Amino acid sequence: MVSFCSCLQPTGGTWQETAYELSSCWRALCRAGLAGCCACCRHCPLQMPSKAAVLAHLDKKAAMPARKARALLVLGHSTPPTVREVLVTLEAAGNGEPVVSNLQRVNIHSSKWPEVPYNQRPHGVMDQVGQVIALMKVYQQLNAFIGAAFPGYSYGEGCEPKCIGDNYGAYQYLNDDIQRAIYVWFFMPQSLEGDGAYIHPLPLQVLAAGKEDDLSSWECTRWWFNGHFFNSLDDLIRAWNADVEGMRTSFRMLLPAGAAKLYSNFLPRPGPKRGEKQPVGPLAFEPYGRRFSIAQGNRVKWLGWELYVGYLPHYGPRYMDVRFKGERIAYEISMQEALASYGAGDLSQANTVYLDSHWGIGASVRELVQGVDCPMTAAYMDAVTFFKGSSKPNYHKNAICVFEHNPDTPVLRHYSYSYQFYGAIPGASLVVRMVSEINNYDYIADLILSNDGMLEVKVVTSGYVQAAAFQSYYRNSYGYPLTFNISGTLHTHVLAWKVDLDIAGTSNSVNIHHMKVGEADDGAGGTIYINKYEAQIAETEEEAAYQAMMLTPKVPVVINENKKNGYGSPRGYKVQLNRPLLNLEPPGYARSKALGFMKYSFAATQHKDEEAHSSSIYGQARLSNPSTSVTDYVDGEPIRNKDVVVWVNSGLYHIPVAEDAPVTTTTGNMLSFSLVPFNWANESPATDMADMIQINLQNKAVPAIKQAVAGLNCAPGFADIPFLESGFESA
C-alpha cells in the first residue's frame, strides 16, 4: 500500500490548501481582534483564484496566482451577532511556511450578501446548548413520562443501565417568533457500541425552539407521541393519564429479542454462512505493475488522462484540470450539494430536509479499509480538513484511493456474423474514490475514467436510514417496517454537480438534440413513423436550462463550433444524465427556494468566478431564504461561443424496506452522470490501445492478457481456454 499527500507540504499547489496554510489562517484570525474569533472560524479553505489567472499560469507559464483562504466567521459576540466571510492572504516566508499579510472582508460566497443573518448561521455548539436548555426546563416531567411509557428506562444523567437517548433531525427558521427550531427525536439504544441508534427510534419527538438569540429563550413548543400531536408536555401527560383514544392502554413496544436484536449491527448472525470455506472471491492482478501515477499536488495520470484530485470541506469531491490525450476536457468537476428530504406523518421526519453541504461533505471523509472499500491494488492519498471551530487541522489517513479497474466488458467488440473475424479492445477504467460519512449516511463517490475517453461521476449511498416509529398507515404512504415498531421513511436523494467543460478551448456552445418522431415512406406508398432529432444550439441561458421529461427527451452536447473533427463536425462532449429526478413540490413553494439546484436537470450558464456554487450552506437554516441558487444564474445572458458551465443533478426515491437493515445496500442506489466524446475525435479514442486485437484465419492473435499471464512465473493459475475459431473454416 502506498500513500500520497500533498497536504503535509509547507507550500501547496494551485488547487488545495495545506495543513500549514490552515493553521496560519486560524492563527491570523485569533490575532485579528475579532470578538471570540479563535472559536468562531468554521472553516478556511483555499479561495479559488480567477479562472483566467489559473489558465494563464497553467497554459502560458504566468506566475502562480496569490493564495488566499476564505474564512467563515460566526460572530456571536459582536453587536449585533452576525456571520461574515473574509479572505486571508497567504504568503510564503523565507522558510516556506505561510504567513498572513492581510484580511479582506468580502460578500458571502456565490452571492451578493455582505453578511448572513445570525439566525441563518451554521449549526453549532450554541444550538446544542439551546436544545439542552429547552429539554432541561421539562426534565422532571419528561423523565416521569418516559418511565411510565417505557418501564425500566430513564433519560438524562444517571440513567444507566437502561438509557433513553436523543438526537436531532434538522433545524429551521420557522418565523420571526421561532428563529431557530430543532426537531428532536428520542431513541432506545440496544447496545453500547457497534450499533446504529438511528434505527432505534421511539414514538416520541419534540420541537426545541429558540425565540431569540438569547439562549434562555429556548423551550419545547410542540410534542408528538405515537401519532398524536400536543402543544406542551403537560398536554401530552394529561392525555396519557386520561387514556385519550386509548393511547395508554393500547400502547405496546415490541422489542426484538435474541438473534432479532442483531438487525441493527454487523455482528455474526446464527446459522450457516455462505462462502464460509471460501470467504474471498477473485482478486485484481497487475501483471506489469501499476499503470497510473500520483504526483505531488494529488495529480493523477493514467493512459492519457491527467487531473488533480481534491475536495472542498463543505461541498465534497472536486476534480480540476481534467485532460485526455493532452487536451483539457474540463476545468472543474465538483459536487455542489447532497440533498436528503424526508416524508412521514410525525413531527421530526416530516420536517427533515438535509442539505449536506452544510454538514460538511468534504470534511466528512474518513479512512478507507483496504480490500473492502478499495481493492488490494489501490494507492491512497491522505486528506486534511479544518472544520466546525477546530483549533487545528484534522488528518484523515488513506481517505482517497485510486485504482485501475477491469470492467469485464470490452470497450469495443464485434464477432462477425459470417464468422470472418473477431475484433475487440478490452475495457479499462481508473477509479478515484472517496467516502463521506455524514452522520447516518455514507456517500461513496467515484470518478471513473475510461480508456475510450468517457468519464463518469458516480455516487452510491449506504449507511443507516433515519428511522421513525412505525405507524400502520405508513405501508401505503411512507415506508415499511425494519423491525416490529420501527420503519424507515420515504426520502429523496439528489446530488448536484458543477461541470465546467472546456472543449478545445473556452469558447463553447450547447447543442441540444431534441428527440422527435418523423415520417418516412415504407417503400410501398405508405407512411411510417421514425425517430429523428432536431439539433438546436442554445443562444441564451434559458434555452439551455430544462427539467428532463420522458415525453420530451433531449440530449445536450457541449461543442466548440470553431474546432472541427476530420469530417467537419464540431468537436464536443455529450452530457449524459443517467438518473435525473423531478422535483414534485408545487411551484412557488417557499421552502423549495434553497433547492434551486433541483429545478433543472441540466442548465448551462456563462462562466463567472463569482457564480462558484449552485447551492448555499446557509440554506439549511432557512430553506426559504438561501444566499445562493442556480436559478439566479439563469438570467438571459448569451451563451453561444462563451465559456460554458453546466449544472446537473441526479436523484432517486428511497422507499425503505426490511432489507435496509442493518444499513442500506449500495446495489441499485446509484446516482450518476457521464461525459462522453461526441465527434471529439475521428474514431473511437480507444483504438490506440496496445491490447486491441483482431483474430481471423490469417492472424492467429492471442489476447494480451493471456500473453501476460503465460509469461509470468508468479501469476496465479488460470485454466487455458483456447479460442477455437469455430465457424472460421466454413466461412
Side-chain angles (χ1 to χ4, degrees):
M1 179 176 66
V2 180
S3 293
F4 302 84
C5 183
S6 65
C7 307
L8 301 177
Q9 305 301 319
T11 56
T14 306
W15 313 109
Q16 197 75 34
E17 65 274 4
T18 69
Y20 288 84
E21 289 173 326
L22 291 171
S23 297
S24 298
C25 178
W26 181 79
R27 289 194 297 268
L29 293 169
C30 288
R31 295 193 299 265
L34 297 170
C37 208
C38 282
C40 76
C41 180
R42 185 174 175 90
H43 71 207
C44 55
L46 185 70
Q47 166 73 3
M48 183 61 65
S50 72
K51 181 177 179 180
V54 173
L55 292 183
H57 170 62
L58 294 176
D59 299 340
K60 300 178 182 179
K61 308 305 179 185
M64 181 181 288
R67 294 178 67 77
K68 297 181 180 182
R70 191 181 193 102
L72 190 165
L73 310 179
V74 181
L75 302 173
H77 295 290
S78 65
T79 305
T82 189
V83 178
R84 187 177 301 163
E85 292 183 8
V86 298
L87 291 183
V88 182
T89 301
L90 303 167
E91 296 180 350
N95 61 358
E97 183 170 342
V99 296
V100 173
S101 62
N102 73 311
L103 276 66
Q104 175 191 354
R105 183 170 168 178
V106 290
N107 284 347
I108 297 304
H109 214 228
S110 300
S111 79
K112 297 179 181 179
W113 289 14
E115 293 186 343
V116 174
Y118 190 64
N119 57 33
Q120 284 189 242
R121 68 190 181 275
H123 183 274
V125 173
M126 300 311 292
D127 295 301
Q128 295 171 314
V129 172
Q131 174 183 323
V132 170
I133 289 173
L135 290 170
M136 287 302 99
K137 288 180 178 180
V138 295
Y139 175 71
Q140 297 297 334
Q141 296 164 284
L142 176 59
N143 223 350
F145 174 74
I146 285 175
F150 312 105
Y153 285 83
S154 59
Y155 171 72
E157 188 175 353
C159 63
E160 293 82 2
K162 292 187 174 183
C163 291
I164 298 298
D166 66 63
N167 204 340
Y168 56 87
Y171 73 102
Q172 273 293 308
Y173 170 99
L174 296 184
N175 51 51
D176 289 341
D177 291 328
I178 301 179
Q179 299 192 16
R180 204 74 166 176
I182 298 180
Y183 298 91
V184 181
W185 50 277
F186 296 86
F187 63 89
M188 183 183 290
Q190 298 297 303
S191 64
L192 295 179
E193 60 183 37
D195 198 41
Y198 296 100
I199 54 176
H200 297 303
L202 295 174
L204 178 64
Q205 300 169 2
V206 61
L207 175 62
K211 298 186 176 182
E212 301 172 4
D213 294 335
D214 182 5
L215 283 172
S216 64
S217 70
W218 282 75
E219 58 185 40
C220 298
T221 61
R222 188 78 162 155
W223 292 82
W224 177 88
F225 176 74
N226 203 34
H228 303 272
F229 288 89
F230 303 94
N231 290 325
S232 70
L233 184 56
D234 285 339
D235 291 344
L236 167 56
I237 292 174
R238 279 194 292 269
W240 171 269
N241 290 335
D243 197 24
V244 173
E245 299 180 6
M247 65 178 293
R248 175 170 50 82
T249 54
S250 64
F251 178 64
R252 295 289 184 273
M253 277 289 293
L254 299 176
L255 298 178
K261 295 179 67 174
L262 299 173
Y263 81 99
S264 58
N265 58 47
F266 290 87
L267 297 175
R269 274 57 172 168
K273 306 293 186 293
R274 287 182 295 156
E276 190 168 14
K277 294 182 178 179
Q278 298 171 305
V280 177
L283 299 175
F285 175 64
E286 297 174 320
Y288 299 113
R290 189 169 287 157
R291 297 200 292 183
F292 65 88
S293 64
I294 305 175
Q296 184 174 352
N298 291 355
R299 185 160 183 79
V300 176
K301 295 183 180 182
W302 173 78
L303 294 183
W305 284 99
E306 298 182 50
L307 73 153
Y308 288 94
V309 177
Y311 48 88
L312 289 169
H314 276 289
Y315 297 100
R318 181 174 66 176
Y319 315 103
M320 302 297 299
D321 195 24
V322 181
R323 304 183 186 216
F324 181 56
K325 295 190 176 183
E327 292 193 45
R328 182 176 296 113
I329 303 299
Y331 174 74
E332 176 184 0
I333 301 173
S334 59
M335 187 184 289
Q336 298 293 302
E337 190 57 89
L339 165 76
S341 178
Y342 290 73
D346 59 12
L347 180 63
S348 178
Q349 295 286 91
N351 285 280
T352 294
V353 178
Y354 289 127
L355 295 175
D356 282 334
S357 67
H358 175 95
W359 305 97
I361 302 171
S364 299
V365 295
R366 297 292 184 269
E367 182 179 2
L368 301 170
V369 176
Q370 185 188 29
V372 181
D373 293 320
C374 309
M376 298 298 291
T377 55
Y380 293 80
M381 294 181 271
D382 302 333
V384 58
T385 60
F386 180 90
F387 196 62
K388 287 189 177 180
S390 174
S391 61
K392 62 181 180 180
N394 297 310
Y395 291 97
H396 306 283
K397 295 290 293 182
N398 304 329
I400 304 170
C401 73
V402 182
F403 58 92
E404 186 168 349
H405 169 63
N406 179 359
D408 298 322
T409 302
V411 70
L412 300 178
R413 192 258 190 205
H414 180 65
Y415 197 155
S416 172
Y417 183 74
S418 56
Y419 300 105
Q420 292 176 327
F421 74 94
Y422 170 89
I425 302 175
S429 300
L430 188 79
V431 180
V432 179
R433 174 171 295 167
M434 60 186 82
V435 181
S436 295
E437 322 280 352
I438 306 175
N439 296 320
N440 56 310
Y441 252 103
D442 299 42
Y443 291 100
I444 305 172
D446 287 351
L447 176 75
I448 305 171
L449 307 174
S450 174
N451 60 345
D452 67 344
M454 190 188 82
L455 177 156
E456 182 182 9
V457 174
K458 182 181 75 173
V459 175
V460 294
T461 62
S462 189
Y464 287 101
V465 297
Q466 182 173 291
F470 178 69
Q471 307 292 299
S472 59
Y473 68 91
Y474 276 18
R475 290 184 199 271
N476 296 324
S477 301
Y478 300 117
Y480 295 85
L482 300 175
T483 186
F484 300 107
N485 300 293
I486 294 169
S487 166
T489 57
L490 171 68
H491 53 283
T492 303
H493 286 290
V494 177
L495 294 180
W497 291 83
K498 175 184 181 180
V499 186
D500 186 350
L501 288 166
D502 286 346
I503 305 301
T506 57
S507 179
N508 289 171
S509 302
V510 179
N511 192 12
I512 300 179
H513 297 66
H514 301 262
M515 298 297 116
K516 303 285 186 178
V517 174
E519 294 183 355
D521 193 313
D522 68 356
T527 299
I528 59 173
Y529 293 100
I530 58 172
N531 294 327
K532 61 176 289 188
Y533 65 81
E534 295 177 2
Q536 180 180 6
I537 296 179
E539 299 288 347
T540 66
E541 292 172 332
E542 281 85 355
E543 293 178 11
Y546 62 88
Q547 178 68 259
M549 298 286 188
M550 293 184 67
L551 295 178
T552 56
K554 300 176 177 67
V555 177
V557 182
V558 176
I559 62 173
N560 190 320
E561 294 186 67
N562 301 312
K563 301 291 177 67
K564 309 293 179 63
N565 70 359
Y567 310 111
S569 301
R571 302 180 68 201
Y573 256 73
K574 176 176 65 175
V575 181
Q576 184 169 298
L577 307 175
N578 296 333
R579 201 165 188 171
L581 182 136
L582 180 65
N583 185 1
L584 299 178
E585 294 176 342
Y589 178 48
R591 286 175 57 160
S592 283
K593 290 182 179 179
L595 313 184
F597 55 87
M598 288 183 66
K599 181 176 180 179
Y600 307 114
S601 305
F602 176 96
T605 61
Q606 199 177 125
H607 174 273
K608 295 179 182 177
D609 290 321
E610 61 271 23
E611 294 180 353
H613 300 291
S614 65
S615 185
S616 164
I617 63 172
Y618 304 109
Q620 176 72 79
R622 193 171 180 179
L623 295 171
S624 61
N625 187 40
S627 64
T628 303
S629 174
V630 73
T631 56
D632 297 331
Y633 304 164
V634 182
D635 56 5
E637 291 186 287
I639 200 174
R640 190 166 184 173
N641 295 316
K642 301 291 184 181
D643 191 354
V644 172
V645 175
V646 169
W647 311 89
V648 299
N649 68 55
S650 180
L652 60 86
Y653 300 109
H654 185 179
I655 301 176
V657 294
E659 288 83 359
D660 283 309
V663 300
T664 64
T665 177
T666 59
T667 53
N669 290 324
M670 181 186 74
L671 305 96
S672 74
F673 70 92
S674 302
L675 303 177
V676 185
F678 197 95
N679 294 316
W680 182 83
N682 293 333
E683 62 176 347
S684 169
T687 53
D688 63 353
M689 289 297 298
D691 55 353
M692 181 168 67
I693 185 172
Q694 179 164 308
I695 306 174
N696 54 36
L697 283 175
Q698 292 73 39
N699 179 21
K700 307 289 187 177
V702 177
I705 189 170
K706 298 189 74 171
Q707 297 179 48
V709 170
L712 295 175
N713 295 327
C714 61
F718 296 102
D720 182 25
I721 309 297
F723 184 60
L724 300 178
E725 303 170 1
S726 56
F728 275 20
E729 295 292 344
S730 61

